[in-house]
Amino acid sequence: MPRKKASSIKSAEEKEDLDIEEFIVEKILDKRVRNGIVEYYLKWKGYGDTDNTWEPEAHLECSQLINEYEKTAKEKATEEKKETGKRTPKKPSNTKTKEENRMDMNSLSGFDQGFEPDKILGATNASGTLKFLMQWKDSEIQELVPASQANVLCPQVVIKFYEERLNWN
């Protein structure tokens, strides 16, 4: 499927002025964050489910659909939290088998899986890159994440980690 630019319906004159082929988003199905970039899983108007794609938020011109999706997702998360008393990490929706999904989930970082950072337990640069040992909220999972990613996605958690380790002489 060709690369798409998502938009709302534009006038014929506006479309002629653009040399970009535009497609219309029918529905937003899911959301994820990969490498600090928010992406939405889109159903395209006039196309089948096999043509659904992940697209960066910056490429989209369908703010009303995004707002509706975010509102619905927030309401759903609040409802789930009330029912279970815990936040359930969101899993990517796709057409893969359960085994493929399990393998993908193991290769994705906690940020990519929708986990929310709780605190940083420690830091290491043994691999040549500064990494934080991250504890995720409502989970016993701990994971090494690149400091560059944590600095962007959870700066307050990083600041708190450093503040706790300040020594004033």
Side-chain angles (χ1 to χ4, degrees):
M1 178 167 209
R3 201 79 182 135
K4 303 168 195 69
K5 179 172 173 137
S7 73
S8 56
I9 299 173
K10 297 186 182 253
S11 72
E13 287 178 347
E14 288 176 315
K15 285 188 176 186
E16 285 177 12
D17 291 342
L18 299 173
D19 289 336
I20 300 171
E21 186 175 4
E22 293 191 343
F23 297 84
I24 299 172
V25 174
E26 182 177 317
K27 185 176 183 180
I28 298 175
L29 303 172
D30 203 355
K31 177 184 175 180
R32 70 181 180 192
V33 178
R34 295 194 84 160
N35 300 321
I37 298 171
V38 175
E39 297 178 331
Y40 291 96
Y41 192 57
L42 307 175
K43 166 79 172 101
W44 298 100
K45 190 170 190 166
Y47 290 87
D49 290 340
T50 57
D51 293 318
N52 295 350
T53 58
W54 286 101
E55 298 295 331
E57 182 177 23
H59 293 182
L60 304 179
E61 295 177 3
C62 54
S63 58
Q64 184 177 355
L65 285 176
I66 292 171
N67 291 340
E68 289 172 11
Y69 174 83
E70 293 294 345
K71 181 181 176 188
T72 303
K74 186 176 180 179
E75 289 169 356
K76 185 178 177 183
T78 303
E79 200 173 291
E80 285 177 1
K81 193 171 184 177
K82 285 179 184 177
E83 289 175 9
T84 64
K86 283 186 160 184
R87 181 180 175 274
T88 307
K90 185 171 75 172
K91 295 178 176 61
S93 63
N94 54 33
T95 57
K96 295 181 180 180
T97 67
K98 287 183 181 179
E99 183 60 31
E100 288 172 323
N101 279 339
R102 232 177 275 126
M103 289 170 50
D104 281 353
M105 293 302 285
N106 290 336
S107 65
L108 294 175
S109 77
F111 288 116
D112 293 334
Q113 293 181 51
F115 286 110
E116 192 175 336
D118 185 28
K119 63 182 174 180
I120 297 172
L121 303 173
T124 181
N125 66 352
S127 64
T129 304
L130 181 60
K131 293 188 177 187
F132 294 125
L133 180 60
M134 186 71 66
Q135 174 72 52
W136 304 105
K137 281 187 182 175
D138 301 323
S139 173
E140 294 182 20
I141 297 173
Q142 298 171 353
E143 173 187 21
L144 283 174
V145 298
S148 58
Q149 189 179 30
N151 292 340
V152 172
L153 298 175
C154 58
Q156 293 302 318
V157 175
V158 174
I159 291 168
K160 184 176 179 186
F161 171 75
Y162 285 122
E163 284 178 340
E164 290 171 350
R165 282 150 184 82
L166 280 176
N167 287 324
W168 298 95
N169 293 330

